[in-house]
Amino acid sequence: MKLKFLLLASFLCLFANAQEDQTIKDNATKAVTDRFPSTRLFDVQYEQYLPADFDSELFDVPFEKGKIQNHSRLSISANLPIIMKPRWNLTTSLRYRYESFDLNNVESRIDNTIPSYDQKSDFHYLSGSLNFTYFSMLFKKPFIYNASVIVDGTEKDAERIKGFFGATIILKKTERTTLGVGLVIFVDPTSPVPAAPTFLWEHKFENSPWTMDLILPQRLLFKRNLFKDGRLSLGSELGGDGFYIYNNTPGLAKVYDYRVLEVKSGLIYEHSFSKSLIGTFRAGYSNIFNSRISERGEKTSNYIFSSKQDGTAYFSLGFSFNPSFEKKK
């Protein structure tokens, strides 16, 4: 979740190149919703992974191994305006995610006399945020501040409150190239760093339908319009998700935080059925770099459980409703 909010803050003013406050705000909003479906008014995404083997450790000791036979994820988001002014906005964002795992032939690496077993687990994650965005100019360049307070948890209880403050400035804006930098400060004791820089570079190649879309540290995509109302993107994206796990084992904490960091490489096809309805199809290969469980409120580096899993193919299908969406030219 931190990574997503960081990138949204960084991208708020990618195409804000006009002097008028309302135009800056409109262009900035369009830049964000154009790239991140979860920031549109309403968005639903279903994701499915193919089977993959895994191996795990508990307290740095070999624990279990087996196969993730089925892993699926359903994500629903809504972004609702509260106060909309020419120079500032106050909005709320609501997120729900359902995650399901089917584990097969799970074997103990501690005691080989324990029979293997199958297990199905599902998890619910919910979050809500209050977001403030201020649009301005600095050194005659678009400059946008963004702050959010986030509460997340499960269907059972709210678990944590966190937040961030970010600022982004566009250094260069031409017909073919846009360069920008930003900084995000985290108000979260579990964050591995107190602040993080961001860098964005969009470049349209000369005499070519392709555009490079680089956002560090999140993604590198090459995009082009396809058919009458479609857009194709090829490249890689870094993403992070997670959820809370409740535990009843004596001597251990009651609530744990599961976090995963993965890189997805492949294609994205978006199709605009109307100015308000957008369909998205993604397919490719996923590599999991970090999959850890730590006590709620602790940094990911202070984990008790970690797992490694083979890379696997995935696909997803989604639909967004966003009245301001327009196909990128």
Short mmCIF file of all heavy atoms in Angstrom, two decimals, residues 18 26 31 36 44 49 62 89 94 101 123 132 138 149 156 158 177 194 196 198 212 222 237 252 265 272 294 296 309:
data_model
loop_
_atom_site.label_atom_id
_atom_site.label_comp_id
_atom_site.label_asym_id
_atom_site.label_seq_id
_atom_site.Cartn_x
_atom_site.Cartn_y
_atom_site.Cartn_z
N ALA A 18 -0.29 24.00 -17.57
CA ALA A 18 -0.94 25.28 -17.82
C ALA A 18 -0.85 26.15 -16.58
O ALA A 18 -0.57 25.68 -15.49
CB ALA A 18 -2.42 25.04 -18.19
N ASP A 26 -7.24 19.73 -13.45
CA ASP A 26 -7.86 18.79 -14.37
C ASP A 26 -6.84 17.90 -15.06
O ASP A 26 -7.02 16.69 -15.18
CB ASP A 26 -8.68 19.55 -15.42
CG ASP A 26 -9.92 20.23 -14.83
OD1 ASP A 26 -10.29 19.87 -13.69
OD2 ASP A 26 -10.48 21.10 -15.50
N ALA A 31 -3.97 12.66 -15.49
CA ALA A 31 -2.71 11.92 -15.55
C ALA A 31 -2.71 10.75 -14.59
O ALA A 31 -2.21 9.66 -14.91
CB ALA A 31 -1.54 12.85 -15.25
N PHE A 36 -3.40 4.72 -13.28
CA PHE A 36 -3.69 3.87 -12.14
C PHE A 36 -5.20 3.63 -12.05
O PHE A 36 -5.93 4.47 -11.53
CB PHE A 36 -3.18 4.51 -10.85
CG PHE A 36 -1.70 4.78 -10.86
CD1 PHE A 36 -1.20 6.01 -11.25
CD2 PHE A 36 -0.80 3.78 -10.51
CE1 PHE A 36 0.17 6.26 -11.27
CE2 PHE A 36 0.57 4.01 -10.51
CZ PHE A 36 1.05 5.25 -10.90
N VAL A 44 -12.92 -2.34 -10.37
CA VAL A 44 -12.98 -3.73 -9.93
C VAL A 44 -11.96 -4.52 -10.74
O VAL A 44 -11.93 -4.42 -11.97
CB VAL A 44 -14.38 -4.34 -10.13
CG1 VAL A 44 -14.40 -5.81 -9.71
CG2 VAL A 44 -15.43 -3.56 -9.35
N TYR A 49 -3.44 -16.32 -10.51
CA TYR A 49 -2.09 -16.82 -10.70
C TYR A 49 -2.13 -18.30 -11.02
O TYR A 49 -2.95 -19.05 -10.48
CB TYR A 49 -1.24 -16.60 -9.45
CG TYR A 49 -0.96 -15.15 -9.11
CD1 TYR A 49 -1.90 -14.39 -8.41
CD2 TYR A 49 0.23 -14.55 -9.49
CE1 TYR A 49 -1.64 -13.07 -8.09
CE2 TYR A 49 0.49 -13.23 -9.17
CZ TYR A 49 -0.44 -12.49 -8.47
OH TYR A 49 -0.19 -11.18 -8.16
N PRO A 62 14.06 -23.83 8.55
CA PRO A 62 13.21 -24.44 7.53
C PRO A 62 11.90 -24.93 8.12
O PRO A 62 11.88 -25.61 9.16
CB PRO A 62 14.07 -25.60 7.01
CG PRO A 62 15.47 -25.14 7.23
CD PRO A 62 15.44 -24.35 8.51
N ASN A 89 -8.28 20.00 -3.24
CA ASN A 89 -9.31 18.96 -3.17
C ASN A 89 -9.23 18.24 -1.83
O ASN A 89 -8.15 18.07 -1.27
CB ASN A 89 -9.11 17.90 -4.26
CG ASN A 89 -9.41 18.43 -5.65
OD1 ASN A 89 -10.03 19.48 -5.81
ND2 ASN A 89 -8.95 17.69 -6.65
N LEU A 94 -11.64 4.39 -0.70
CA LEU A 94 -12.05 3.17 -0.01
C LEU A 94 -11.55 1.97 -0.80
O LEU A 94 -11.66 1.94 -2.04
CB LEU A 94 -13.57 3.10 0.12
CG LEU A 94 -14.25 4.32 0.78
CD1 LEU A 94 -15.76 4.18 0.71
CD2 LEU A 94 -13.79 4.47 2.23
N PHE A 101 -6.07 -18.55 -1.20
CA PHE A 101 -4.95 -19.46 -1.48
C PHE A 101 -5.42 -20.90 -1.30
O PHE A 101 -6.03 -21.24 -0.29
CB PHE A 101 -3.78 -19.22 -0.52
CG PHE A 101 -3.16 -17.86 -0.61
CD1 PHE A 101 -3.70 -16.79 0.10
CD2 PHE A 101 -2.03 -17.64 -1.38
CE1 PHE A 101 -3.12 -15.54 0.04
CE2 PHE A 101 -1.44 -16.40 -1.46
CZ PHE A 101 -1.98 -15.34 -0.74
N PHE A 123 -8.54 -14.27 2.92
CA PHE A 123 -8.29 -13.10 3.76
C PHE A 123 -9.02 -11.90 3.17
O PHE A 123 -9.13 -11.75 1.95
CB PHE A 123 -6.79 -12.80 3.84
CG PHE A 123 -5.98 -13.96 4.35
CD1 PHE A 123 -5.43 -14.89 3.47
CD2 PHE A 123 -5.77 -14.13 5.71
CE1 PHE A 123 -4.69 -15.95 3.94
CE2 PHE A 123 -5.03 -15.20 6.19
CZ PHE A 123 -4.48 -16.11 5.30
N PHE A 132 -5.80 15.02 1.01
CA PHE A 132 -5.81 16.47 0.72
C PHE A 132 -4.76 16.76 -0.34
O PHE A 132 -3.61 16.33 -0.23
CB PHE A 132 -5.49 17.27 1.99
CG PHE A 132 -5.37 18.75 1.74
CD1 PHE A 132 -6.50 19.54 1.61
CD2 PHE A 132 -4.12 19.36 1.62
CE1 PHE A 132 -6.40 20.91 1.37
CE2 PHE A 132 -4.01 20.72 1.38
CZ PHE A 132 -5.15 21.50 1.26
N LEU A 138 5.57 26.70 -8.52
CA LEU A 138 6.82 27.01 -7.85
C LEU A 138 7.87 27.26 -8.94
O LEU A 138 8.10 26.39 -9.79
CB LEU A 138 7.25 25.87 -6.94
CG LEU A 138 8.54 26.08 -6.15
CD1 LEU A 138 8.37 27.21 -5.14
CD2 LEU A 138 8.96 24.79 -5.44
N VAL A 149 -4.21 10.43 5.26
CA VAL A 149 -4.29 9.67 6.50
C VAL A 149 -5.05 8.39 6.17
O VAL A 149 -6.15 8.44 5.59
CB VAL A 149 -5.02 10.45 7.60
CG1 VAL A 149 -5.16 9.58 8.86
CG2 VAL A 149 -4.27 11.73 7.92
N LYS A 156 -12.92 -7.77 10.58
CA LYS A 156 -13.11 -7.92 12.02
C LYS A 156 -12.80 -6.66 12.80
O LYS A 156 -13.45 -6.36 13.80
CB LYS A 156 -12.25 -9.07 12.54
CG LYS A 156 -12.63 -10.43 11.96
CD LYS A 156 -11.74 -11.52 12.50
CE LYS A 156 -12.12 -12.88 11.92
NZ LYS A 156 -11.25 -13.97 12.45
N ALA A 158 -10.36 -2.60 12.74
CA ALA A 158 -9.33 -1.70 12.22
C ALA A 158 -8.03 -1.99 12.95
O ALA A 158 -8.03 -2.20 14.16
CB ALA A 158 -9.75 -0.25 12.43
N THR A 177 8.37 15.18 -24.33
CA THR A 177 9.07 14.73 -23.12
C THR A 177 8.56 15.45 -21.88
O THR A 177 8.34 16.66 -21.90
CB THR A 177 10.58 14.97 -23.25
OG1 THR A 177 11.07 14.28 -24.40
CG2 THR A 177 11.32 14.47 -22.02
N PRO A 194 12.29 6.60 6.18
CA PRO A 194 11.38 7.68 6.57
C PRO A 194 10.87 8.49 5.38
O PRO A 194 9.81 9.12 5.47
CB PRO A 194 12.25 8.55 7.48
CG PRO A 194 13.66 8.29 7.04
CD PRO A 194 13.68 6.85 6.61
N ALA A 196 11.22 8.87 0.70
CA ALA A 196 11.68 8.25 -0.54
C ALA A 196 11.52 9.23 -1.70
O ALA A 196 10.48 9.89 -1.83
CB ALA A 196 10.89 6.98 -0.83
N THR A 198 11.15 10.17 -5.78
CA THR A 198 10.54 9.58 -6.96
C THR A 198 11.00 10.34 -8.20
O THR A 198 11.37 11.52 -8.13
CB THR A 198 9.01 9.62 -6.88
OG1 THR A 198 8.59 10.98 -6.71
CG2 THR A 198 8.49 8.78 -5.74
N MET A 212 7.45 5.91 -24.05
CA MET A 212 8.05 5.31 -22.85
C MET A 212 7.49 5.98 -21.61
O MET A 212 7.43 7.21 -21.52
CB MET A 212 9.57 5.46 -22.87
CG MET A 212 10.25 4.82 -21.66
SD MET A 212 12.03 5.14 -21.58
CE MET A 212 12.02 6.89 -21.17
N PHE A 222 6.21 0.57 -22.18
CA PHE A 222 6.20 1.14 -23.52
C PHE A 222 4.77 1.01 -24.04
O PHE A 222 4.23 -0.09 -24.14
CB PHE A 222 7.20 0.42 -24.42
CG PHE A 222 8.63 0.61 -23.99
CD1 PHE A 222 9.22 -0.27 -23.10
CD2 PHE A 222 9.36 1.70 -24.45
CE1 PHE A 222 10.54 -0.08 -22.68
CE2 PHE A 222 10.67 1.90 -24.05
CZ PHE A 222 11.26 1.01 -23.16
N GLU A 237 6.25 -3.93 -13.91
CA GLU A 237 5.76 -3.10 -12.81
C GLU A 237 6.11 -3.75 -11.48
O GLU A 237 6.00 -4.96 -11.32
CB GLU A 237 4.25 -2.92 -12.90
CG GLU A 237 3.76 -2.15 -14.10
CD GLU A 237 2.26 -1.96 -14.10
OE1 GLU A 237 1.55 -2.96 -14.25
OE2 GLU A 237 1.80 -0.81 -13.92
N LEU A 252 2.61 -16.14 21.08
CA LEU A 252 2.83 -15.31 19.90
C LEU A 252 1.84 -14.15 19.89
O LEU A 252 0.84 -14.15 20.61
CB LEU A 252 2.69 -16.13 18.61
CG LEU A 252 3.70 -17.26 18.41
CD1 LEU A 252 3.41 -18.02 17.13
CD2 LEU A 252 5.13 -16.72 18.40
N SER A 265 5.83 -8.74 -15.24
CA SER A 265 6.28 -8.36 -16.58
C SER A 265 5.31 -8.97 -17.59
O SER A 265 4.93 -10.14 -17.47
CB SER A 265 7.70 -8.87 -16.85
OG SER A 265 8.61 -8.34 -15.91
N SER A 272 -11.50 1.39 -24.10
CA SER A 272 -12.51 2.34 -23.67
C SER A 272 -13.83 2.04 -24.39
O SER A 272 -13.97 2.30 -25.58
CB SER A 272 -12.05 3.78 -23.97
OG SER A 272 -13.04 4.70 -23.58
N SER A 294 5.29 -10.34 9.62
CA SER A 294 5.86 -9.71 10.81
C SER A 294 4.73 -9.30 11.74
O SER A 294 3.57 -9.19 11.33
CB SER A 294 6.70 -8.49 10.43
OG SER A 294 5.94 -7.57 9.67
N ARG A 296 2.23 -7.08 13.75
CA ARG A 296 1.61 -5.80 13.40
C ARG A 296 2.36 -4.65 14.06
O ARG A 296 2.66 -4.66 15.25
CB ARG A 296 0.16 -5.78 13.88
CG ARG A 296 -0.59 -4.49 13.58
CD ARG A 296 -1.90 -4.44 14.29
NE ARG A 296 -1.73 -4.58 15.75
CZ ARG A 296 -2.73 -4.58 16.62
NH1 ARG A 296 -3.98 -4.49 16.21
NH2 ARG A 296 -2.49 -4.71 17.91
N GLN A 309 8.91 -18.48 -3.53
CA GLN A 309 8.10 -19.25 -4.46
C GLN A 309 8.59 -19.04 -5.88
O GLN A 309 9.19 -18.01 -6.21
CB GLN A 309 6.63 -18.88 -4.34
CG GLN A 309 6.27 -17.50 -4.82
CD GLN A 309 4.79 -17.20 -4.64
OE1 GLN A 309 4.27 -17.16 -3.52
NE2 GLN A 309 4.09 -17.01 -5.75
#
